[in-house]
Amino acid sequence: MTTKKKVLTGIAGVLLVAATAGYGAAAYYYSSHFYSHTEINGTDYGEMTVAQVKKKIADQIPSYQITIEERNGQEETLTGEQLKLTYQDDGEIDKLMENQRPWAWVIHAFTGVHVQLENMVAVNEEALKQAVEGLTCMQPGNMQAPKDAYVGITDDGYAVIPEEEGTTLDEGKVTAGLHQALTNGEITFDLDAGDCYVKPEIRQDDAELKAKADAINQKLSANLTMDFGTDRKEVLDKNTLKDWVAEAEDGSFSIDEEKVKEYVAGLAKKYDTVNSKRTFTTTAGNTVTLTPGDYGWEIDQSGTESNLMQAINDGTQGDFEIVYTSTALSRNENDIGNSYVELSLSDQHFWVYVDGKQVMDSEVVTGCRNKGTETPQGVYKVKGKTTDYTMRGEKNASGNWSYQVHCNYWIPFAAEDTIGFHDLTTRSDWSSTAYLDNGSHGCVNTPLDKVKELYDIVSYKFPVVIY
């Protein structure tokens, strides 16, 4: 070996010894000091002894802060001093040092060590309770109660209205969650993540709510058209039906029967013509106001209500037939139309019109004015017709009829089929004044040939106008 090589070898040996000595010295140092960049719960305690770490933790606790994250982006902060926190030595720092391998210091020289220790803080329960109660978010006036999802009306019908989360907090959950965050050494506590808010009990995905909405929307889908003639139509659809919805105590929805009754009553008031006054232009060209009679249209309100409710519940669409207790010959607003019998009591004469054209007329003798059996005025309709008919009055005490008259043609129109047109072959006086003292019991006596002609013209519901 040359002298030069011997020198280099000597130098290398010296350096190795020095390096080994230095590494050993560092290892000895890290047997009592934490590695560089040793972070405990996010704070750097590198190059510090166990005692120094404990002191630093204890010194930092009063200035420790935890941020409480609330809904709507709000935050509040509590300090260690407020919470009266103290350091709790549970031996975790000592154990961390015991588990540190001094000779491995070089491995962690650049990467550092990151650990999360719990239970280093002793929580003062009373201070924590007071701090929670003092939070702005815990004040009753600042908490909005959650709202359950429900079925409600919208522009398109009924739908499930989503729940509202609200901001009402469960104090017990807030206290417990914050306690755990403090003992964990956390610097933030999210109230939502900590499940601290009171939740709605019913949410929008509730199957029962959807079923309720579907059920009432089925009814609101009904679209019914009612025809009252002469371009007079009534349409019942969801624009009206939505205001008829009633909610029961169990939360179910139905169509309010009272609303249906009110609606049908309104139709009857608007379109019924039985017992209503009418203006009429006579053959003589005079305009008279007719006394009400039993002729006309009259809605069977009970039957119509029942059918209408069924149609709504079934979601029926299309024409809806009104049920009537009485119908007329014409569906026009003037339901007498242009086919009718016109009888003038003062003239003791009637005229018959068919499709607006006079087809016959006749003299008559009506009910006796001076005996109080006058023919009733008003608008009636032919109730039927028959031949070879015997009219009878009432039975007296002896069991005999007050009167009994045979007629060849009988066309009843009033007083429960006891007053009508008929022939009276025994009558000889057909003067216009005969009715004053020698009139009928209320019927319209008509010459035989004329009543036969009338019989052949009229049919059931043919209007009879008497004034």
Side-chain angles (χ1 to χ4, degrees):
M1 180 181 294
T2 63
T3 303
K4 183 177 180 179
K5 285 184 177 180
K6 289 181 179 180
V7 171
L8 292 174
T9 300
I11 292 172
V14 171
L15 291 175
L16 177 62
V17 171
T20 301
Y23 188 84
Y28 177 76
Y29 174 80
Y30 286 117
S31 66
S32 60
H33 292 75
F34 287 104
Y35 297 139
S36 296
H37 310 300
T38 296
E39 289 187 0
I40 302 175
N41 294 358
T43 300
D44 190 347
Y45 294 99
E47 312 296 336
M48 298 179 69
T49 65
V50 168
Q52 289 173 328
V53 170
K54 290 181 180 180
K55 183 176 185 306
K56 183 176 180 180
I57 291 174
D59 290 344
Q60 288 177 333
I61 283 180
S63 60
Y64 163 84
Q65 291 186 338
I66 186 167
T67 299
I68 300 171
E69 297 176 345
E70 305 162 6
R71 281 183 180 166
N72 304 323
Q74 303 298 312
E75 293 183 347
E76 294 186 64
T77 301
L78 295 177
T79 66
E81 186 175 7
Q82 279 179 275
L83 297 166
K84 298 182 180 179
L85 302 180
T86 55
Y87 172 61
Q88 177 174 275
D89 187 357
D90 60 353
E92 288 297 314
I93 303 297
D94 299 272
K95 192 177 297 183
L96 186 63
M97 177 57 74
E98 291 172 6
N99 294 332
Q100 180 171 283
R101 293 179 298 165
W103 292 101
W105 65 269
V106 71
I107 299 174
H108 301 284
F110 302 102
T111 61
V113 176
H114 309 276
V115 296
Q116 188 73 25
L117 300 180
E118 298 179 358
N119 302 317
M120 292 194 304
V121 174
V123 179
N124 184 302
E125 301 296 343
E126 183 58 32
L128 174 61
K129 181 176 183 299
Q130 290 181 5
V132 169
E133 291 175 350
L135 290 171
T136 300
C137 62
M138 288 299 302
Q139 305 314 303
N142 297 328
M143 289 193 284
Q144 181 181 358
K147 292 183 180 179
D148 291 339
Y150 65 96
V151 175
I153 186 66
T154 69
D155 291 339
D156 297 322
Y158 276 74
V160 177
I161 308 301
E163 68 279 0
E164 294 181 16
E165 297 294 344
T167 56
T168 298
L169 288 160
D170 183 321
E171 184 177 336
K173 288 186 176 182
V174 174
T175 302
L178 190 55
H179 186 287
Q180 187 62 50
L182 292 171
T183 58
N184 291 348
E186 297 172 8
I187 59 173
T188 61
F189 176 54
D190 187 328
L191 294 176
D192 247 328
D195 191 29
C196 296
Y197 287 97
V198 177
K199 298 181 178 63
E201 294 182 2
I202 303 175
R203 297 190 175 275
Q204 60 182 321
D205 59 356
D206 184 85
E208 187 176 344
L209 281 186
K210 186 177 185 303
K212 288 178 181 178
D214 290 345
I216 193 58
N217 282 329
Q218 160 75 12
K219 304 179 196 304
L220 295 186
S221 69
N223 191 310
L224 305 170
T225 300
M226 289 153 270
D227 189 353
F228 293 93
T230 323
D231 298 324
R232 296 179 300 162
K233 296 181 185 293
E234 297 286 342
V235 176
L236 180 62
D237 57 20
K238 87 176 171 184
N239 291 324
T240 299
L241 292 173
K242 64 182 177 59
D243 296 326
W244 293 5
V245 176
E247 184 175 4
E249 291 184 1
D250 63 358
S252 62
F253 292 89
S254 63
I255 298 297
D256 189 340
E257 291 186 12
E258 288 302 314
K259 295 293 186 181
V260 176
K261 287 182 179 180
E262 290 174 8
Y263 180 78
V264 174
L267 294 178
K269 184 177 181 181
K270 185 175 182 179
Y271 294 108
D272 279 3
T273 57
V274 170
N275 294 318
S276 64
K277 291 184 177 181
R278 299 171 175 83
T279 57
F280 180 79
T281 302
T282 69
T283 297
N286 300 318
T287 300
V288 297
T289 299
L290 300 176
T291 302
D294 63 6
Y295 178 84
W297 296 87
E298 184 173 51
I299 294 175
D300 177 348
Q301 295 189 40
S302 178
T304 299
E305 290 163 10
S306 177
N307 290 354
L308 185 57
M309 180 64 80
Q310 185 65 52
I312 294 170
N313 287 336
D314 291 344
T316 303
Q317 301 195 13
D319 293 335
F320 175 79
E321 295 295 329
I322 299 291
V323 182
Y324 291 96
T325 56
S326 176
T327 59
L329 194 62
S330 172
R331 183 67 273 192
N332 295 330
E333 189 169 357
N334 169 22
D335 59 359
I336 295 175
N338 56 9
S339 295
Y340 53 86
V341 178
E342 174 191 346
L343 171 59
S344 170
L345 297 179
S346 61
D347 292 330
Q348 290 291 284
H349 203 94
F350 73 68
W351 301 264
V352 180
Y353 290 84
V354 175
D355 296 331
K357 181 179 180 180
Q358 182 184 326
V359 295
M360 71 162 289
D361 69 294
S362 176
E363 59 187 356
V364 294
V365 175
T366 60
C368 186
R369 173 184 289 184
N370 294 335
K371 292 181 181 179
T373 58
E374 291 181 277
T375 300
Q377 297 183 45
V379 185
Y380 303 92
K381 62 185 175 184
V382 171
K383 303 296 196 301
K385 58 183 183 178
T386 188
T387 58
D388 192 20
Y389 181 74
T390 299
M391 296 181 298
R392 295 182 175 88
E394 297 180 357
K395 282 188 175 182
N396 55 31
S398 60
N400 297 318
W401 298 106
S402 58
Y403 68 86
Q404 184 168 298
V405 179
H406 174 268
C407 58
N408 295 287
Y409 298 94
W410 170 241
I411 308 170
F413 62 79
E416 298 182 354
D417 300 353
T418 63
I419 293 178
F421 296 94
H422 66 85
D423 57 283
L424 185 62
T425 57
T426 59
R427 176 175 289 282
S428 59
D429 184 3
W430 292 96
S431 67
S432 61
T433 58
Y435 79 106
L436 297 176
D437 294 304
N438 189 27
S440 71
H441 291 86
C443 286
V444 182
N445 295 169
T446 308
L448 180 60
D449 61 331
K450 291 295 185 179
V451 76
K452 179 182 183 304
E453 189 177 355
L454 179 64
Y455 184 93
D456 291 336
I457 294 172
V458 300
S459 59
Y460 177 66
K461 290 199 295 188
F462 204 88
V464 178
V465 178
I466 305 173
Y467 58 88

